[in-house]
Amino acid sequence: MNATQSKPTDGPIRRVLVANRGEIAVRIIRTLKRLGIESVLATSVADRDSMAARMADRSVCIGPARATDSYLRIGTLVEAAKGVGAQAVHPGYGFLSERSEFAAACAENGIIFIGPTAEQIERVGNKLEARRCAEEAQVPVAPGGPVEDMSAALDMAEKIGYPVLIKAVGGGGGRGLKRANTPAELKSLFELAGSEALAAFGDGRVYIECFVTQGRHVEVQILGDGVNIIHLGDRDCSVQRRYQKLIEEAPAPNLSDEMRHELHAAALRFSRHIGYRSLGTVEFLVDMERQRFYFLEMNARIQVEHPVTEQITGLDLVEEQIAVAQGQPLRLSQGDVRLTGHAIECRINAEDPAHDFRPAPGKISSAHFPTWEGIRVDTHIEAGASIPPFYDSMIAKVIATGDTREQARRRLQAALSEVTVEGVHTNVSLHREVLATPEFTAGGIDTGFLGRFLADRATAVTSN
């Protein structure tokens, strides 16, 4: 067994340190409670009175409010896990979930990391290495490659044609990502992209890829035990603002059967090539004009949008993560996976769309989410809750499920009309507008849709 791969416990996991906050911490704790596993929440000073802290069987404060002093301190979290006698750590998403050093530190201290191996996290976290793995697995990659300096970047862009994307080697999420339409723009953005990448990931290297003018962001959910690997269907995440997802749905609408099958097969080839263990998501860019797709990246963790997959498969993905982490073989074969109906998720953020979506921290004076049939709400807020300024602005996810996409869309529209969050600005009204557009209703929009929608909306407001 590799030194940085967590070994199974001598028995079932009895206690888990949840190394995260917000709605994903609440989500994980709920599954732990159902499984009869004790939960210990690692919490910053700002989150000591949070819903997750009250739900957990126990909580331990790991530091001040700022993430760099609490949720991002590997040594502190490992010592916390050891101190409370936790056999395992669940990292959730964000923070340290894709830091190989955290997975390795857990393994070195005899703590199970509920996720992939440190080597796998390292391998897919380096975008150039992931791209190389995709090529080895015969998964299509976008034209482009690594560049060491401005001259090489200009040569690469000239070779593949403008527009191009400058992308960070060490991470994603829109940081260090720039679009250049001309050589002049490439010159002005190249160093900026590298600086952003260095600040965000500690790695200033970038690479160049062609920009697909009309593309869809489609991803495939993977579950593996290191030997057996299956897919749990696909999702569409094309409603994005500045490369940040806002609305996700499963399955991806308006894909041909051939394209869907090829995406699933490519995701499995990539995952099997690296012997993937745990949950993971292989992400693709679908070129709508050419009806081709390219590998984007693999996220080695549970995704924010995992509820839509749960809704159409009937699975608890956190439970499956835990089973694999304990050393169990997959409890499902590909033939056991049944995809039923359609699910759409909206991310509710504490932000002000009227002022360039700036974050809107504050205190929640009242909050109401509908509890209707076909509606699921994942949240950590309630009346009296505080939204700190130190973390991501997402405060809830509202998910609608239906027998058809249109039924799910209508249910989600109706549910959002009943959502009330007072005390802070939110993007609920924006979601209602987007869901009502003819483009979203038809399905299969491209990643540029929301930018065009917001531009048209701003023009209409100005003209009036």
Side-chain angles (χ1 to χ4, degrees):
M1 178 176 294
N2 195 295
T4 54
Q5 179 173 337
S6 300
K7 63 179 181 179
T9 55
D10 294 331
I13 293 173
R14 300 179 301 279
R15 184 177 298 142
V16 172
L17 182 80
V18 180
N20 215 297
R21 66 175 302 278
E23 68 85 19
I24 189 59
V26 169
R27 163 73 188 85
I28 294 165
I29 290 167
R30 284 189 174 134
T31 291
L32 294 175
K33 284 184 175 294
R34 185 173 59 77
L35 296 177
I37 299 173
E38 185 179 347
S39 58
V40 182
L41 181 69
T43 176
S44 73
V45 169
D47 289 329
R48 284 185 298 187
D49 297 322
S50 65
M51 180 187 292
R54 295 196 308 276
M55 285 180 60
D57 295 299
R58 181 179 170 189
S59 63
V60 55
C61 186
I62 54 169
R66 293 190 181 280
T68 51
D69 299 323
S70 51
Y71 296 111
L72 293 174
R73 294 182 67 89
I74 292 175
T76 300
L77 285 163
V78 169
E79 289 305 311
K82 292 167 62 178
V84 301
Q87 292 88 31
V89 168
H90 198 305
Y93 56 71
F95 293 134
L96 295 174
S97 62
E98 290 182 284
R99 289 279 296 276
S100 60
E101 305 97 312
F102 187 34
C106 287
E108 289 164 4
N109 285 274
I111 300 165
I112 292 175
F113 181 81
I114 301 177
T117 67
E119 289 83 0
Q120 289 167 348
I121 295 173
E122 177 70 25
R123 202 169 184 189
V124 302
N126 181 308
K127 304 308 178 188
L128 285 180
E129 174 65 12
R131 183 183 166 96
R132 186 180 68 80
C133 288
E135 292 174 321
E136 291 174 351
Q138 297 185 319
V139 174
V141 298
V147 291
E148 295 183 358
D149 53 32
M150 179 73 73
S151 176
L154 289 167
D155 288 345
M156 178 68 73
E158 183 67 28
K159 178 181 177 181
I160 63 178
Y162 289 92
V164 298
L165 285 176
I166 311 167
K167 304 179 77 171
V169 169
R175 291 168 293 183
L177 182 62
K178 304 294 180 185
R179 172 182 172 177
N181 298 300
T182 64
E185 287 186 5
L186 181 57
K187 290 178 181 179
S188 67
L189 294 172
F190 183 79
E191 290 188 4
L192 177 60
S195 297
E196 285 187 7
L198 182 62
F201 312 114
D203 185 346
R205 291 177 298 160
V206 298
Y207 61 106
I208 301 291
E209 277 188 354
C210 74
F211 177 81
V212 175
T213 305
Q214 194 175 15
R216 292 176 60 182
H217 190 134
V218 179
E219 59 190 31
V220 179
Q221 179 70 69
I222 291 296
L223 176 64
D225 61 15
V227 177
N228 301 303
I229 301 171
I230 62 175
H231 74 79
L232 304 178
D234 48 80
R235 299 185 288 251
D236 189 295
C237 308
S238 299
V239 180
Q240 301 178 8
R241 177 180 171 273
R242 296 178 182 172
Y243 304 103
Q244 295 294 313
K245 303 168 187 174
L246 283 179
I247 301 176
E248 302 99 354
E249 57 183 305
N254 296 345
L255 285 181
S256 69
D257 290 343
E258 181 182 8
M259 174 71 77
R260 198 181 306 276
H261 174 75
E262 289 179 359
L263 286 164
H264 295 171
L268 288 172
R269 286 199 305 275
F270 182 90
S271 304
R272 288 168 178 161
H273 180 68
I274 62 174
Y276 194 76
R277 189 193 76 180
S278 193
L279 278 182
T281 301
V282 185
E283 305 198 355
F284 299 96
L285 182 64
V286 176
D287 187 328
M288 298 169 65
E289 294 177 322
R290 298 175 180 83
Q291 284 299 294
R292 300 179 62 182
F293 64 86
Y294 304 112
F295 172 82
L296 279 177
E297 63 180 348
M298 183 178 199
N299 285 308
R301 53 171 167 78
I302 196 165
Q303 294 274 91
V304 176
E305 58 269 26
H306 77 274
V308 293
T309 296
E310 291 186 325
Q311 294 304 109
I312 67 167
T313 60
L315 298 172
D316 181 329
L317 297 188
V318 174
E319 180 179 354
E320 298 305 321
Q321 273 190 303
I322 293 169
V324 169
Q326 290 186 128
Q328 297 181 26
L330 281 192
R331 304 185 296 181
L332 299 162
S333 68
Q334 191 65 67
D336 295 326
V337 179
R338 295 287 184 268
L339 306 178
T340 305
H342 199 97
I344 309 175
E345 170 184 292
C346 287
R347 301 188 187 191
I348 309 302
N349 298 331
E351 60 188 13
D352 187 357
H355 292 87
D356 197 29
F357 295 85
R358 68 186 179 199
K363 189 168 185 177
I364 304 292
S365 55
S366 67
H368 168 74
F369 297 95
T371 55
W372 304 338
E373 178 185 359
I375 298 298
R376 166 178 168 176
V377 177
D378 286 15
T379 187
H380 62 287
I381 68 161
E382 58 192 346
S386 293
I387 309 301
F390 310 105
Y391 315 116
D392 184 85
S393 63
M394 190 175 71
I395 58 175
K397 300 182 300 197
V398 180
I399 307 102
T401 306
D403 294 334
T404 65
R405 182 178 187 270
E406 179 60 12
Q407 184 181 46
R409 188 190 68 85
R410 288 181 178 275
R411 280 180 171 172
L412 188 52
Q413 275 189 307
L416 290 173
S417 70
E418 295 293 318
V419 171
T420 58
V421 178
E422 297 182 354
V424 299
H425 293 285
T426 74
N427 61 350
V428 171
S429 61
L430 174 65
H431 281 298
R432 291 200 300 262
E433 291 182 55
V434 170
L435 290 173
T437 61
E439 295 90 344
F440 185 87
T441 300
I445 59 173
D446 67 281
T447 55
F449 160 76
L450 188 60
R452 297 191 300 270
F453 171 81
L454 293 173
D456 291 344
R457 188 167 172 255
T459 299
V461 169
T462 302
S463 63
N464 290 333

